[in-house]
Each structure stands twice: as structure tokens, then as C-alpha cells.
Amino acid sequence: MESPGLTTFETAIGPCAIAWGEKGIVGVQLPEANAAATRARLQKRFPLAKEGPAPAFVQDVIDDIVALLEGQKVDFSGAPLDMEGLPALHRQVYEIALEIPPGETMTYGMIARRIGDVSLSQAVGQALGKNPFPIIVPCHRVLGSGGKTGGFSANGGAETKLRMLTIEGARTSGEPDLFGNLPLAMKPQRR
């Protein structure tokens, strides 16, 4: 079995890193203080990963991450993610989050309802807090009820989350738009 690979790359929000294995991408790291710190943080999660050039399927995803963080609309639903070994609930949450297009948001409760149990809202938040594929699985597009930012475990916390949402053109305030429409995450939920 081949060792996983790892590489860093520059984006509009700073240096990111990505790790991959034989079955697909195993992890993404949002920016730390510099490229070395970003690489070290991902290396800690994947100690056997060897730094090297990305194979074509990983380079395609890197190019898409860079494009997304420059404000382009990118669909990651076809990205080859290796979710083997992840808890079933986490996989469900990540698959639903992958459906959220750039510029849109959902709430933790909306995802829990899609799973079939609104009482799982906190578990959804915990799963997203452990998301090994940030940006690809857009945990930054998931907000708390009432449009609250919610947690964000990446360096910079909620500020990084809001920066990414702003780049994507998502409305991040609870103010209605010119037509009186609330942001998706603010719309009243049916029970």
C-alpha cells in the first residue's frame, strides 16, 4: 500500500494543504499562519503522508479550491473523497453539505431534518466541526438558527467562515434583501 501524499498550495485566503491516498482525498487543511504551519497541521493528522506533487485528480480539486476562493462558482460533489472509517452520521452530514451551492447556506437544524431527526442538530454541528474536508465539504455554509454564524474550528474561527461566505457572495446578515427575502438560513422553518 502506497503512503498518502500531501502538498500545500496558495489561495486567496492563505496557504492551504491537501492530503490524499489510494481511494481519494483524505484531508484538507485551511490556512494557518504560514505554509509551514499549514503543512505541519495536516501532517499531524496524517503522519505517514509524504510531501510531493499532486496527482491529476488532486490537482483538479486544488484548482477548484483556488477558483472557489477567488469567487468562482464551483461544484465539489464529484470530488473523490475517501470517507472510509468515518462514522455513518458524519458521512450523511457531509453528503448533505456537499449539496449546498456556493452563495447559499443551510442551518444545522435543516441538515438534521434532512437526516430525519431535528434533535440531531447538535450532532450535525459536531460532525461539521470534525470535517476532514473543509472547503470541499462546505461546513462554512452551515449556520446556526436565526442566521447565527455558529462555530468554526479553522484558524481564525468565525471570521474565516464569514470571509469565505463573503467571497462566495452569500448574505451573512439577517437583513432582508431588496425584495424582502431573508437569507436562506433565516427563512422560517416548518415543523
Side-chain angles (χ1 to χ4, degrees):
M1 184 171 165
E2 193 176 308
S3 292
L6 181 147
T7 194
T8 57
F9 56 98
E10 285 298 321
T11 74
I13 65 168
C16 291
I18 192 166
W20 64 89
E22 293 175 355
K23 296 181 181 178
I25 295 165
V26 294
V28 174
Q29 181 62 50
L30 288 169
E32 294 290 323
N34 55 49
T38 303
R39 182 182 320 101
R41 176 77 134 219
L42 192 59
Q43 190 82 56
K44 187 174 182 179
R45 287 172 42 203
F46 302 100
L48 300 178
K50 305 272 188 252
E51 189 155 7
F57 79 93
V58 175
Q59 189 59 54
D60 289 345
V61 173
I62 290 171
D63 293 344
D64 285 345
I65 290 171
V66 169
L68 179 81
L69 294 173
E70 289 175 349
Q72 297 178 38
K73 303 290 186 202
V74 176
D75 176 10
F76 287 107
S77 61
L81 302 178
D82 181 356
M83 293 197 201
E84 192 172 293
L86 296 178
L89 178 66
H90 291 209
R91 287 193 305 268
Q92 278 185 288
V93 169
Y94 302 155
E95 287 165 7
I96 292 168
L98 273 166
E99 297 173 13
I100 308 169
E104 300 293 332
T105 59
M106 288 182 89
T107 65
Y108 300 105
M110 292 168 80
I111 291 177
R113 272 190 284 291
R114 290 268 310 269
I115 291 170
D117 186 352
V118 73
S119 71
L120 292 174
S121 295
Q122 189 173 14
V124 167
Q126 290 169 350
L128 291 169
K130 294 178 180 176
N131 175 12
F133 318 104
I135 303 175
I136 298 171
V137 172
C139 52
H140 64 281
R141 296 181 192 147
V142 184
L143 303 174
S145 63
K148 294 181 187 119
T149 307
F152 199 60
S153 57
N155 186 34
E159 187 176 313
T160 299
K161 183 175 191 170
L162 289 172
R163 185 172 178 203
M164 292 168 65
L165 289 170
T166 300
I167 288 169
E168 292 182 6
R171 286 187 302 124
T172 55
S173 78
E175 295 299 314
D177 66 14
L178 296 173
F179 307 103
N181 298 313
L182 292 172
L184 179 61
M186 297 289 296
K187 291 184 180 170
Q189 306 299 313
R190 291 188 181 171
R191 296 197 184 249

